[in-house]
Amino acid sequence: MDERAIRVVAEPTLRRLPAYHRLLAAMRARGRTVVSCTRIASELGLDATQVRKDLASTGVVGRPKIGFAVDDLLTGIADFLGWNNRSDAVLAGAGHLGMALMGYRGFEHYRLNILAAFDCDPEKIGRAIHGKEVFAVEKLPDLVQRLHVSIGILTVPTQAAQSVAAVMIQSGIRALWNFTQAHLDVPENVIVEHVDLSASLAVLSRRLAEVSP
Amino acid sequence: MDERAIRVVAEPTLRRLPAYHRLLAAMRARGRTVVSCTRIASELGLDATQVRKDLASTGVVGRPKIGFAVDDLLTGIADFLGWNNRSDAVLAGAGHLGMALMGYRGFEHYRLNILAAFDCDPEKIGRAIHGKEVFAVEKLPDLVQRLHVSIGILTVPTQAAQSVAAVMIQSGIRALWNFTQAHLDVPENVIVEHVDLSASLAVLSRRLAEVSP
DNA sequence: TAGATTGTTAATCGATTAACAATC
DNA sequence: TAGATTGTTAATCGATTAACAATC
């Protein structure tokens, strides 16, 4: 076994790590230096063994009887998720949602940096939204190539998503954060993370229908 | 077995149903009247048996050798998800994201109707955003009670989420669509659907780190 | 008819949860 | 020390995938 081998961690684990990070940051702010999995689990309504396994996957080790050092966990989780290195991104689609994401200060916390936005509406091109300029979509390839941008955020209309994704991939984008409702067809080395509001709403509506049909 | 018993369908199935609905709507628009699970599966990159099981959970039946009627599936899925009845919602937090959701025309498709927004910033109160008025948060309980609103959308800052959620639940809200990063502590009869951008970003960043460490 | 397709049961896979020795 | 906690292995649970009879 190569020690430097990249551990491919299960998706459910990855999805829980930010919640641990947030809770731990709040605990550190209150002066807490040490914490047990039992404690984290009860705060977040999870199983303690699951928390222990999740934390183990980041490589941080705890001490029997004592627990984990809060600081170790915070840096360990952030390192593991790549949140200690800046990630540059470009955004396509300067509509309501695109603008909301461009203005979201919370991304600084994860060191995600949206460099610029692109749109095909002449009305929007040239404007600056939250300090970030909106360019014509034709200028996307050049900027992505020059700055080696690896993340593309898609907030275009669903019908345009596949073609804009293709342009992004062609330009060197290696990961797409897809906020549209399109199922994207991409080469297997390209990562797609889909934030699907209709999927989320489907769960909400159905659960509501189940309790009061 | 009570025929009218509410079928509790697994969450992964619910999350896939909107993608089927979208694909089927596009097929109907192109004049297609009949479709097989094999076809749906290949279009969406899924397993045909999985599609068949998912569709079965909505109660729609197909015909061996023929397939499913596109119209039957469209109405069956929409009925099953409660998308043929209007659902009223209120939104708390008229920031960037809240405004984006208020202006999102796509919700009409799911018959989700955001009646009004609430905020505690005097600057925002009284304004109308995309034809919907912003009221002081104090006015939320009265409106929710009078109109029997069942869905509450949370786009407030994370620190405010738990207390605003409590007010909503107190007022009669039965389902929360949580766009904040808070883990909400709610009574067991209240539904929480969490759209967690940090969880999504964690998957994206880590997968990117795995391919180029 | 023959073969594609449905509906359903069985097998597999992966994630969660339980059990427990090691430890401070 | 005794008991709480970690780290890890085993058992369970649930979702996906495979197999196959029924059907048009």
Side-chain angles (χ1 to χ4, degrees):
Chain A
M1 270 276 283
D2 183 355
E3 277 300 307
R4 291 160 307 167
I6 298 298
R7 273 170 299 208
V8 175
V9 168
E11 183 166 319
T13 292
L14 293 177
R15 298 187 68 86
R16 284 186 295 265
L17 289 175
Y20 302 150
H21 193 271
R22 211 171 302 126
L23 176 65
L24 290 159
M27 286 176 165
R28 178 163 65 181
R30 292 199 304 271
R32 194 179 188 101
T33 58
V34 158
V35 70
S36 72
C37 291
T38 319
R39 181 64 195 279
I40 295 173
S42 84
E43 293 265 4
L44 297 175
L46 299 172
D47 181 275
T49 304
Q50 182 168 72
V51 174
R52 204 169 294 122
K53 268 195 104 186
D54 286 347
L55 297 181
S57 69
T58 66
V60 179
V61 291
R63 291 199 298 163
K65 160 97 181 151
I66 307 296
F68 290 81
V70 172
D71 278 331
D72 287 359
L73 285 175
L74 281 165
T75 56
I77 294 171
D79 274 336
F80 184 73
L81 295 177
W83 287 355
N84 286 324
N85 302 309
R86 198 184 73 184
S87 300
D88 286 333
V90 289
L91 180 146
H96 295 313
L97 181 58
M99 284 168 57
L101 296 179
M102 284 165 77
Y104 183 50
R105 307 295 308 281
F107 290 149
E108 288 166 20
H109 190 86
Y110 315 120
R111 304 208 58 189
L112 176 73
N113 182 229
I114 304 177
L115 294 169
F118 297 87
D119 206 292
C120 58
D121 178 358
E123 286 276 300
K124 285 170 185 150
I125 295 163
R127 287 194 193 169
I129 297 173
H130 305 113
K132 280 146 194 172
E133 209 173 334
V134 182
F135 299 99
V137 133
E138 294 73 36
K139 300 199 171 172
L140 187 146
D142 178 61
L143 188 137
V144 166
Q145 282 161 30
R146 274 194 299 113
L147 303 181
H148 303 286
V149 181
S150 52
I151 299 173
I153 304 174
L154 283 171
T155 50
V156 296
T158 296
Q159 319 85 269
Q162 180 65 57
S163 69
V164 175
V167 170
M168 284 180 163
I169 293 165
Q170 187 70 33
S171 312
I173 288 287
R174 293 180 301 125
L176 296 169
W177 206 7
N178 178 22
F179 286 82
T180 79
Q181 252 123 77
H183 164 77
L184 299 176
D185 197 15
V186 303
E188 65 166 351
N189 63 327
V190 173
I191 295 148
V192 177
E193 175 61 20
H194 193 185
V195 178
D196 189 347
L197 289 194
S198 65
S200 179
L201 186 57
V203 177
L204 186 88
S205 332
R206 179 64 198 172
R207 295 300 179 223
L208 208 42
E210 281 164 2
V211 293
S212 52
Chain B
M1 270 275 284
D2 183 354
E3 277 301 307
R4 290 160 308 168
I6 299 298
R7 273 170 299 208
V8 176
V9 168
E11 184 166 320
T13 292
L14 293 178
R15 298 187 68 86
R16 284 186 294 267
L17 290 175
Y20 301 150
H21 193 272
R22 212 172 301 129
L23 176 65
L24 290 160
M27 285 175 165
R28 178 163 66 181
R30 293 199 303 269
R32 195 181 186 97
T33 58
V34 158
V35 70
S36 72
C37 292
T38 318
R39 181 67 194 279
I40 295 174
S42 83
E43 293 266 4
L44 297 175
L46 299 172
D47 182 274
T49 304
Q50 182 168 73
V51 173
R52 204 167 296 122
K53 269 195 103 186
D54 286 346
L55 297 180
S57 69
T58 66
V60 179
V61 291
R63 290 199 296 165
K65 160 98 179 154
I66 308 295
F68 291 81
V70 172
D71 277 332
D72 286 0
L73 284 176
L74 280 165
T75 55
I77 293 170
D79 274 337
F80 184 75
L81 294 178
W83 287 354
N84 286 325
N85 302 309
R86 199 184 72 184
S87 299
D88 287 332
V90 290
L91 181 145
H96 295 312
L97 181 58
M99 284 169 57
L101 295 180
M102 284 165 76
Y104 182 49
R105 307 295 307 280
F107 289 148
E108 287 165 21
H109 191 87
Y110 315 120
R111 305 208 57 189
L112 176 72
N113 183 228
I114 305 178
L115 294 170
F118 297 87
D119 206 293
C120 59
D121 179 356
E123 286 276 302
K124 285 169 186 151
I125 296 164
R127 287 194 194 170
I129 299 173
H130 305 112
K132 281 145 193 173
E133 209 173 335
V134 182
F135 298 100
V137 132
E138 294 74 37
K139 298 198 171 171
L140 186 146
D142 178 61
L143 187 136
V144 166
Q145 281 161 31
R146 275 193 298 114
L147 303 181
H148 302 287
V149 182
S150 53
I151 298 173
I153 304 175
L154 283 171
T155 49
V156 296
T158 296
Q159 318 85 269
Q162 180 64 57
S163 70
V164 175
V167 170
M168 284 179 163
I169 293 165
Q170 187 69 34
S171 312
I173 288 287
R174 293 179 302 126
L176 295 169
W177 206 7
N178 177 23
F179 287 82
T180 78
Q181 253 125 78
H183 164 76
L184 300 176
D185 197 14
V186 303
E188 64 165 350
N189 62 326
V190 172
I191 294 148
V192 178
E193 174 60 21
H194 193 184
V195 177
D196 189 347
L197 289 195
S198 65
S200 180
L201 185 56
V203 178
L204 186 88
S205 333
R206 179 62 198 172
R207 295 298 179 224
L208 209 41
E210 281 165 1
V211 291
S212 51

